[in-house]
Amino acid sequence: MAAERASELPIFELPIVLLPGELVPLHIFEERYKRMIGRSLDSGDPIGIVFRDDTSGARNVGCTARVADVLERFDDGRMNIVVAGESPFRVLDRADAPEFPVGEVELIDIEEEPEPDDAEAARGARTAFAELLEQVSQEEDKAEPIGDEGSYELAGRIELPADTKQRLLELRSEDERMRLLERALRTVAEAVRRSQRIAELARSNGTFPAR
């Protein structure tokens, strides 16, 4: 795997994981992040989004992002925006610069990853995704058909635990990402089945109908 040389990137630590190709809405309200997003809008340069939680702190692999849309601006400088994920990167060092946090990072070129050679891994993940969509759609509008979407595209279309998405971002093999995604999707499907069963029980006043 090849990586570009180290460069400085504004770092936005959040309790979410952004994947390449994924669109995520953000509400910008802290002064340092207002400045960060303002500079990105003026220059067109990306920022880096890194997952952070109270358990393990900030992770060392994140995803670059660009502002895809500004939904709303407020008089005090707050913004509602949508960012688009682009490329994974590895954080080498962090610093609190005067204007906003920055990091020295290495961009990871996903085109340099090994070519996928496990057709069963991709097929299993896409099948699990299709089955989950069918399970939750019911009377809702029919979901978009699944073609040859990769792991990032599939994961970006459904809400997954942040730790699972972070692992997808860190893995450097599409085959491994697909295998992880299939397991995660089947876990979600089982949770949905339990939830639907509980709802059915509640509607029947605690008595399952005869079958």
PDB file of all heavy atoms in Angstrom, residues 110-123 126 148-153 172-179:
ATOM      1  N   ILE A 110      -6.509   4.342  -1.587  1.00  0.00           N
ATOM      2  CA  ILE A 110      -7.246   3.077  -1.633  1.00  0.00           C
ATOM      3  C   ILE A 110      -7.100   2.388  -2.989  1.00  0.00           C
ATOM      4  O   ILE A 110      -7.365   1.191  -3.114  1.00  0.00           O
ATOM      5  CB  ILE A 110      -8.734   3.282  -1.282  1.00  0.00           C
ATOM      6  CG1 ILE A 110      -9.404   4.265  -2.232  1.00  0.00           C
ATOM      7  CG2 ILE A 110      -8.882   3.756   0.144  1.00  0.00           C
ATOM      8  CD1 ILE A 110     -10.882   4.469  -1.944  1.00  0.00           C
ATOM      9  N   GLU A 111      -6.674   3.140  -4.008  1.00  0.00           N
ATOM     10  CA  GLU A 111      -6.453   2.507  -5.307  1.00  0.00           C
ATOM     11  C   GLU A 111      -5.229   1.604  -5.297  1.00  0.00           C
ATOM     12  O   GLU A 111      -5.050   0.783  -6.203  1.00  0.00           O
ATOM     13  CB  GLU A 111      -6.318   3.572  -6.394  1.00  0.00           C
ATOM     14  CG  GLU A 111      -7.603   4.359  -6.642  1.00  0.00           C
ATOM     15  CD  GLU A 111      -7.468   5.332  -7.787  1.00  0.00           C
ATOM     16  OE1 GLU A 111      -6.368   5.402  -8.382  1.00  0.00           O
ATOM     17  OE2 GLU A 111      -8.464   6.013  -8.099  1.00  0.00           O
ATOM     18  N   GLU A 112      -4.383   1.755  -4.279  1.00  0.00           N
ATOM     19  CA  GLU A 112      -3.200   0.915  -4.152  1.00  0.00           C
ATOM     20  C   GLU A 112      -3.466  -0.351  -3.336  1.00  0.00           C
ATOM     21  O   GLU A 112      -2.566  -1.156  -3.129  1.00  0.00           O
ATOM     22  CB  GLU A 112      -2.062   1.707  -3.493  1.00  0.00           C
ATOM     23  CG  GLU A 112      -1.544   2.869  -4.338  1.00  0.00           C
ATOM     24  CD  GLU A 112      -0.865   2.405  -5.603  1.00  0.00           C
ATOM     25  OE1 GLU A 112      -0.255   1.318  -5.580  1.00  0.00           O
ATOM     26  OE2 GLU A 112      -0.956   3.109  -6.626  1.00  0.00           O
ATOM     27  N   GLU A 113      -4.702  -0.518  -2.867  1.00  0.00           N
ATOM     28  CA  GLU A 113      -5.032  -1.730  -2.120  1.00  0.00           C
ATOM     29  C   GLU A 113      -5.045  -2.950  -3.045  1.00  0.00           C
ATOM     30  O   GLU A 113      -5.219  -2.801  -4.264  1.00  0.00           O
ATOM     31  CB  GLU A 113      -6.410  -1.573  -1.465  1.00  0.00           C
ATOM     32  CG  GLU A 113      -6.466  -0.524  -0.385  1.00  0.00           C
ATOM     33  CD  GLU A 113      -7.861  -0.380   0.202  1.00  0.00           C
ATOM     34  OE1 GLU A 113      -8.806  -1.033  -0.299  1.00  0.00           O
ATOM     35  OE2 GLU A 113      -7.995   0.396   1.158  1.00  0.00           O
ATOM     36  N   PRO A 114      -4.881  -4.144  -2.482  1.00  0.00           N
ATOM     37  CA  PRO A 114      -4.964  -5.356  -3.313  1.00  0.00           C
ATOM     38  C   PRO A 114      -6.323  -5.448  -4.001  1.00  0.00           C
ATOM     39  O   PRO A 114      -7.347  -5.067  -3.427  1.00  0.00           O
ATOM     40  CB  PRO A 114      -4.783  -6.490  -2.295  1.00  0.00           C
ATOM     41  CG  PRO A 114      -4.119  -5.859  -1.111  1.00  0.00           C
ATOM     42  CD  PRO A 114      -4.603  -4.442  -1.065  1.00  0.00           C
ATOM     43  N   GLU A 115      -6.328  -5.946  -5.219  1.00  0.00           N
ATOM     44  CA  GLU A 115      -7.587  -6.119  -5.943  1.00  0.00           C
ATOM     45  C   GLU A 115      -8.451  -7.171  -5.246  1.00  0.00           C
ATOM     46  O   GLU A 115      -7.946  -8.219  -4.841  1.00  0.00           O
ATOM     47  CB  GLU A 115      -7.317  -6.556  -7.384  1.00  0.00           C
ATOM     48  CG  GLU A 115      -6.804  -5.444  -8.288  1.00  0.00           C
ATOM     49  CD  GLU A 115      -7.850  -4.378  -8.526  1.00  0.00           C
ATOM     50  OE1 GLU A 115      -9.047  -4.723  -8.660  1.00  0.00           O
ATOM     51  OE2 GLU A 115      -7.478  -3.193  -8.567  1.00  0.00           O
ATOM     52  N   PRO A 116      -9.755  -6.917  -5.094  1.00  0.00           N
ATOM     53  CA  PRO A 116     -10.623  -7.926  -4.480  1.00  0.00           C
ATOM     54  C   PRO A 116     -10.598  -9.218  -5.298  1.00  0.00           C
ATOM     55  O   PRO A 116     -10.673  -9.181  -6.527  1.00  0.00           O
ATOM     56  CB  PRO A 116     -12.012  -7.275  -4.532  1.00  0.00           C
ATOM     57  CG  PRO A 116     -11.756  -5.805  -4.688  1.00  0.00           C
ATOM     58  CD  PRO A 116     -10.491  -5.688  -5.467  1.00  0.00           C
ATOM     59  N   ASP A 117     -10.469 -10.360  -4.623  1.00  0.00           N
ATOM     60  CA  ASP A 117     -10.465 -11.629  -5.334  1.00  0.00           C
ATOM     61  C   ASP A 117     -11.382 -12.662  -4.687  1.00  0.00           C
ATOM     62  O   ASP A 117     -11.391 -13.832  -5.068  1.00  0.00           O
ATOM     63  CB  ASP A 117      -9.052 -12.200  -5.462  1.00  0.00           C
ATOM     64  CG  ASP A 117      -8.421 -12.502  -4.106  1.00  0.00           C
ATOM     65  OD1 ASP A 117      -9.106 -12.327  -3.070  1.00  0.00           O
ATOM     66  OD2 ASP A 117      -7.256 -12.919  -4.077  1.00  0.00           O
ATOM     67  N   ASP A 118     -12.190 -12.208  -3.703  1.00  0.00           N
ATOM     68  CA  ASP A 118     -13.120 -13.102  -3.022  1.00  0.00           C
ATOM     69  C   ASP A 118     -14.545 -12.711  -3.408  1.00  0.00           C
ATOM     70  O   ASP A 118     -15.181 -11.890  -2.747  1.00  0.00           O
ATOM     71  CB  ASP A 118     -12.920 -13.018  -1.508  1.00  0.00           C
ATOM     72  CG  ASP A 118     -13.742 -14.060  -0.753  1.00  0.00           C
ATOM     73  OD1 ASP A 118     -14.608 -14.692  -1.387  1.00  0.00           O
ATOM     74  OD2 ASP A 118     -13.524 -14.220   0.453  1.00  0.00           O
ATOM     75  N   ALA A 119     -15.027 -13.289  -4.501  1.00  0.00           N
ATOM     76  CA  ALA A 119     -16.364 -12.950  -4.989  1.00  0.00           C
ATOM     77  C   ALA A 119     -17.439 -13.313  -3.974  1.00  0.00           C
ATOM     78  O   ALA A 119     -18.465 -12.635  -3.875  1.00  0.00           O
ATOM     79  CB  ALA A 119     -16.637 -13.650  -6.317  1.00  0.00           C
ATOM     80  N   GLU A 120     -17.193 -14.353  -3.204  1.00  0.00           N
ATOM     81  CA  GLU A 120     -18.176 -14.792  -2.215  1.00  0.00           C
ATOM     82  C   GLU A 120     -18.330 -13.751  -1.104  1.00  0.00           C
ATOM     83  O   GLU A 120     -19.435 -13.552  -0.577  1.00  0.00           O
ATOM     84  CB  GLU A 120     -17.763 -16.132  -1.624  1.00  0.00           C
ATOM     85  CG  GLU A 120     -18.783 -16.726  -0.673  1.00  0.00           C
ATOM     86  CD  GLU A 120     -20.131 -16.955  -1.316  1.00  0.00           C
ATOM     87  OE1 GLU A 120     -20.183 -17.263  -2.527  1.00  0.00           O
ATOM     88  OE2 GLU A 120     -21.157 -16.823  -0.608  1.00  0.00           O
ATOM     89  N   ALA A 121     -17.240 -13.082  -0.738  1.00  0.00           N
ATOM     90  CA  ALA A 121     -17.306 -12.054   0.299  1.00  0.00           C
ATOM     91  C   ALA A 121     -18.201 -10.911  -0.151  1.00  0.00           C
ATOM     92  O   ALA A 121     -19.064 -10.438   0.602  1.00  0.00           O
ATOM     93  CB  ALA A 121     -15.904 -11.542   0.623  1.00  0.00           C
ATOM     94  N   ALA A 122     -18.010 -10.440  -1.392  1.00  0.00           N
ATOM     95  CA  ALA A 122     -18.834  -9.355  -1.915  1.00  0.00           C
ATOM     96  C   ALA A 122     -20.287  -9.793  -2.055  1.00  0.00           C
ATOM     97  O   ALA A 122     -21.213  -9.051  -1.694  1.00  0.00           O
ATOM     98  CB  ALA A 122     -18.290  -8.885  -3.259  1.00  0.00           C
ATOM     99  N   ARG A 123     -20.496 -10.988  -2.572  1.00  0.00           N
ATOM    100  CA  ARG A 123     -21.852 -11.493  -2.760  1.00  0.00           C
ATOM    101  C   ARG A 123     -22.565 -11.631  -1.414  1.00  0.00           C
ATOM    102  O   ARG A 123     -23.747 -11.293  -1.285  1.00  0.00           O
ATOM    103  CB  ARG A 123     -21.815 -12.831  -3.493  1.00  0.00           C
ATOM    104  CG  ARG A 123     -23.185 -13.386  -3.840  1.00  0.00           C
ATOM    105  CD  ARG A 123     -23.116 -14.449  -4.920  1.00  0.00           C
ATOM    106  NE  ARG A 123     -22.070 -15.425  -4.683  1.00  0.00           N
ATOM    107  CZ  ARG A 123     -20.948 -15.539  -5.418  1.00  0.00           C
ATOM    108  NH1 ARG A 123     -20.732 -14.730  -6.442  1.00  0.00           N
ATOM    109  NH2 ARG A 123     -20.039 -16.456  -5.132  1.00  0.00           N
ATOM    110  N   ARG A 126     -23.561  -8.101  -0.101  1.00  0.00           N
ATOM    111  CA  ARG A 126     -24.658  -7.507  -0.873  1.00  0.00           C
ATOM    112  C   ARG A 126     -25.970  -8.241  -0.625  1.00  0.00           C
ATOM    113  O   ARG A 126     -27.032  -7.610  -0.558  1.00  0.00           O
ATOM    114  CB  ARG A 126     -24.290  -7.498  -2.357  1.00  0.00           C
ATOM    115  CG  ARG A 126     -23.161  -6.527  -2.673  1.00  0.00           C
ATOM    116  CD  ARG A 126     -22.635  -6.677  -4.082  1.00  0.00           C
ATOM    117  NE  ARG A 126     -21.468  -5.824  -4.291  1.00  0.00           N
ATOM    118  CZ  ARG A 126     -20.440  -6.137  -5.071  1.00  0.00           C
ATOM    119  NH1 ARG A 126     -20.444  -7.289  -5.739  1.00  0.00           N
ATOM    120  NH2 ARG A 126     -19.426  -5.302  -5.207  1.00  0.00           N
ATOM    121  N   ASP A 148     -23.257  -3.201  -8.015  1.00  0.00           N
ATOM    122  CA  ASP A 148     -21.926  -3.664  -7.647  1.00  0.00           C
ATOM    123  C   ASP A 148     -21.269  -2.730  -6.635  1.00  0.00           C
ATOM    124  O   ASP A 148     -20.062  -2.535  -6.636  1.00  0.00           O
ATOM    125  CB  ASP A 148     -21.045  -3.788  -8.896  1.00  0.00           C
ATOM    126  CG  ASP A 148     -20.918  -2.456  -9.641  1.00  0.00           C
ATOM    127  OD1 ASP A 148     -21.614  -1.483  -9.261  1.00  0.00           O
ATOM    128  OD2 ASP A 148     -20.118  -2.400 -10.593  1.00  0.00           O
ATOM    129  N   GLU A 149     -22.098  -2.143  -5.747  1.00  0.00           N
ATOM    130  CA  GLU A 149     -21.556  -1.242  -4.742  1.00  0.00           C
ATOM    131  C   GLU A 149     -20.477  -1.906  -3.901  1.00  0.00           C
ATOM    132  O   GLU A 149     -20.562  -3.085  -3.567  1.00  0.00           O
ATOM    133  CB  GLU A 149     -22.655  -0.726  -3.808  1.00  0.00           C
ATOM    134  CG  GLU A 149     -23.604   0.265  -4.438  1.00  0.00           C
ATOM    135  CD  GLU A 149     -24.835  -0.407  -4.991  1.00  0.00           C
ATOM    136  OE1 GLU A 149     -24.762  -1.616  -5.308  1.00  0.00           O
ATOM    137  OE2 GLU A 149     -25.864   0.261  -5.111  1.00  0.00           O
ATOM    138  N   GLY A 150     -19.477  -1.119  -3.551  1.00  0.00           N
ATOM    139  CA  GLY A 150     -18.420  -1.611  -2.682  1.00  0.00           C
ATOM    140  C   GLY A 150     -18.805  -1.482  -1.224  1.00  0.00           C
ATOM    141  O   GLY A 150     -19.909  -1.045  -0.867  1.00  0.00           O
ATOM    142  N   SER A 151     -17.888  -1.847  -0.347  1.00  0.00           N
ATOM    143  CA  SER A 151     -18.174  -1.851   1.088  1.00  0.00           C
ATOM    144  C   SER A 151     -18.493  -0.463   1.612  1.00  0.00           C
ATOM    145  O   SER A 151     -19.410  -0.298   2.429  1.00  0.00           O
ATOM    146  CB  SER A 151     -16.976  -2.436   1.844  1.00  0.00           C
ATOM    147  OG  SER A 151     -15.786  -1.702   1.568  1.00  0.00           O
ATOM    148  N   TYR A 152     -17.741   0.548   1.180  1.00  0.00           N
ATOM    149  CA  TYR A 152     -18.000   1.895   1.664  1.00  0.00           C
ATOM    150  C   TYR A 152     -19.377   2.379   1.227  1.00  0.00           C
ATOM    151  O   TYR A 152     -20.110   3.005   2.000  1.00  0.00           O
ATOM    152  CB  TYR A 152     -16.937   2.869   1.152  1.00  0.00           C
ATOM    153  CG  TYR A 152     -15.561   2.690   1.759  1.00  0.00           C
ATOM    154  CD1 TYR A 152     -14.417   2.859   0.990  1.00  0.00           C
ATOM    155  CD2 TYR A 152     -15.403   2.366   3.112  1.00  0.00           C
ATOM    156  CE1 TYR A 152     -13.147   2.704   1.543  1.00  0.00           C
ATOM    157  CE2 TYR A 152     -14.150   2.207   3.663  1.00  0.00           C
ATOM    158  CZ  TYR A 152     -13.016   2.385   2.877  1.00  0.00           C
ATOM    159  OH  TYR A 152     -11.772   2.244   3.436  1.00  0.00           O
ATOM    160  N   GLU A 153     -19.747   2.097  -0.032  1.00  0.00           N
ATOM    161  CA  GLU A 153     -21.042   2.548  -0.536  1.00  0.00           C
ATOM    162  C   GLU A 153     -22.184   1.881   0.229  1.00  0.00           C
ATOM    163  O   GLU A 153     -23.163   2.536   0.605  1.00  0.00           O
ATOM    164  CB  GLU A 153     -21.173   2.251  -2.030  1.00  0.00           C
ATOM    165  CG  GLU A 153     -20.316   3.115  -2.928  1.00  0.00           C
ATOM    166  CD  GLU A 153     -18.887   2.601  -3.071  1.00  0.00           C
ATOM    167  OE1 GLU A 153     -18.555   1.566  -2.444  1.00  0.00           O
ATOM    168  OE2 GLU A 153     -18.108   3.227  -3.801  1.00  0.00           O
ATOM    169  N   ARG A 172      -7.515  -2.437   5.139  1.00  0.00           N
ATOM    170  CA  ARG A 172      -6.920  -2.070   3.867  1.00  0.00           C
ATOM    171  C   ARG A 172      -7.141  -3.146   2.805  1.00  0.00           C
ATOM    172  O   ARG A 172      -6.362  -3.296   1.886  1.00  0.00           O
ATOM    173  CB  ARG A 172      -5.415  -1.796   4.036  1.00  0.00           C
ATOM    174  CG  ARG A 172      -5.108  -0.621   4.961  1.00  0.00           C
ATOM    175  CD  ARG A 172      -5.131   0.718   4.239  1.00  0.00           C
ATOM    176  NE  ARG A 172      -6.391   1.068   3.643  1.00  0.00           N
ATOM    177  CZ  ARG A 172      -7.413   1.673   4.303  1.00  0.00           C
ATOM    178  NH1 ARG A 172      -7.300   1.943   5.562  1.00  0.00           N
ATOM    179  NH2 ARG A 172      -8.523   1.970   3.658  1.00  0.00           N
ATOM    180  N   SER A 173      -8.185  -3.907   2.965  1.00  0.00           N
ATOM    181  CA  SER A 173      -8.552  -4.936   1.996  1.00  0.00           C
ATOM    182  C   SER A 173     -10.059  -4.878   1.786  1.00  0.00           C
ATOM    183  O   SER A 173     -10.819  -4.970   2.756  1.00  0.00           O
ATOM    184  CB  SER A 173      -8.136  -6.326   2.494  1.00  0.00           C
ATOM    185  OG  SER A 173      -8.834  -7.343   1.798  1.00  0.00           O
ATOM    186  N   GLU A 174     -10.504  -4.750   0.527  1.00  0.00           N
ATOM    187  CA  GLU A 174     -11.928  -4.731   0.235  1.00  0.00           C
ATOM    188  C   GLU A 174     -12.576  -6.062   0.586  1.00  0.00           C
ATOM    189  O   GLU A 174     -13.716  -6.101   1.075  1.00  0.00           O
ATOM    190  CB  GLU A 174     -12.160  -4.398  -1.242  1.00  0.00           C
ATOM    191  CG  GLU A 174     -13.618  -4.412  -1.684  1.00  0.00           C
ATOM    192  CD  GLU A 174     -14.479  -3.310  -1.090  1.00  0.00           C
ATOM    193  OE1 GLU A 174     -13.978  -2.556  -0.221  1.00  0.00           O
ATOM    194  OE2 GLU A 174     -15.656  -3.204  -1.480  1.00  0.00           O
ATOM    195  N   ASP A 175     -11.872  -7.165   0.387  1.00  0.00           N
ATOM    196  CA  ASP A 175     -12.420  -8.468   0.767  1.00  0.00           C
ATOM    197  C   ASP A 175     -12.695  -8.521   2.269  1.00  0.00           C
ATOM    198  O   ASP A 175     -13.757  -8.983   2.705  1.00  0.00           O
ATOM    199  CB  ASP A 175     -11.456  -9.588   0.381  1.00  0.00           C
ATOM    200  CG  ASP A 175     -11.387  -9.813  -1.125  1.00  0.00           C
ATOM    201  OD1 ASP A 175     -12.337  -9.431  -1.829  1.00  0.00           O
ATOM    202  OD2 ASP A 175     -10.384 -10.380  -1.583  1.00  0.00           O
ATOM    203  N   GLU A 176     -11.756  -8.050   3.077  1.00  0.00           N
ATOM    204  CA  GLU A 176     -11.943  -8.059   4.526  1.00  0.00           C
ATOM    205  C   GLU A 176     -13.077  -7.129   4.926  1.00  0.00           C
ATOM    206  O   GLU A 176     -13.860  -7.434   5.837  1.00  0.00           O
ATOM    207  CB  GLU A 176     -10.644  -7.656   5.231  1.00  0.00           C
ATOM    208  CG  GLU A 176      -9.534  -8.685   5.105  1.00  0.00           C
ATOM    209  CD  GLU A 176      -8.287  -8.274   5.857  1.00  0.00           C
ATOM    210  OE1 GLU A 176      -8.366  -7.303   6.642  1.00  0.00           O
ATOM    211  OE2 GLU A 176      -7.245  -8.913   5.669  1.00  0.00           O
ATOM    212  N   ARG A 177     -13.179  -5.979   4.270  1.00  0.00           N
ATOM    213  CA  ARG A 177     -14.278  -5.055   4.578  1.00  0.00           C
ATOM    214  C   ARG A 177     -15.625  -5.698   4.259  1.00  0.00           C
ATOM    215  O   ARG A 177     -16.582  -5.557   5.014  1.00  0.00           O
ATOM    216  CB  ARG A 177     -14.111  -3.745   3.811  1.00  0.00           C
ATOM    217  CG  ARG A 177     -12.993  -2.855   4.326  1.00  0.00           C
ATOM    218  CD  ARG A 177     -13.092  -1.444   3.791  1.00  0.00           C
ATOM    219  NE  ARG A 177     -12.858  -1.368   2.359  1.00  0.00           N
ATOM    220  CZ  ARG A 177     -11.677  -1.100   1.797  1.00  0.00           C
ATOM    221  NH1 ARG A 177     -10.607  -0.902   2.553  1.00  0.00           N
ATOM    222  NH2 ARG A 177     -11.545  -1.032   0.482  1.00  0.00           N
ATOM    223  N   MET A 178     -15.712  -6.400   3.144  1.00  0.00           N
ATOM    224  CA  MET A 178     -16.968  -7.046   2.780  1.00  0.00           C
ATOM    225  C   MET A 178     -17.335  -8.134   3.785  1.00  0.00           C
ATOM    226  O   MET A 178     -18.515  -8.278   4.164  1.00  0.00           O
ATOM    227  CB  MET A 178     -16.865  -7.639   1.374  1.00  0.00           C
ATOM    228  CG  MET A 178     -16.993  -6.624   0.247  1.00  0.00           C
ATOM    229  SD  MET A 178     -18.651  -5.870   0.207  1.00  0.00           S
ATOM    230  CE  MET A 178     -18.650  -5.172  -1.446  1.00  0.00           C
ATOM    231  N   ARG A 179     -16.365  -8.897   4.239  1.00  0.00           N
ATOM    232  CA  ARG A 179     -16.665  -9.947   5.214  1.00  0.00           C
ATOM    233  C   ARG A 179     -17.142  -9.336   6.535  1.00  0.00           C
ATOM    234  O   ARG A 179     -18.092  -9.837   7.156  1.00  0.00           O
ATOM    235  CB  ARG A 179     -15.433 -10.838   5.423  1.00  0.00           C
ATOM    236  CG  ARG A 179     -15.167 -11.790   4.258  1.00  0.00           C
ATOM    237  CD  ARG A 179     -14.112 -12.813   4.608  1.00  0.00           C
ATOM    238  NE  ARG A 179     -12.773 -12.257   4.573  1.00  0.00           N
ATOM    239  CZ  ARG A 179     -11.978 -12.256   3.504  1.00  0.00           C
ATOM    240  NH1 ARG A 179     -12.385 -12.798   2.366  1.00  0.00           N
ATOM    241  NH2 ARG A 179     -10.766 -11.754   3.559  1.00  0.00           N
TER     242      ARG A 179
END
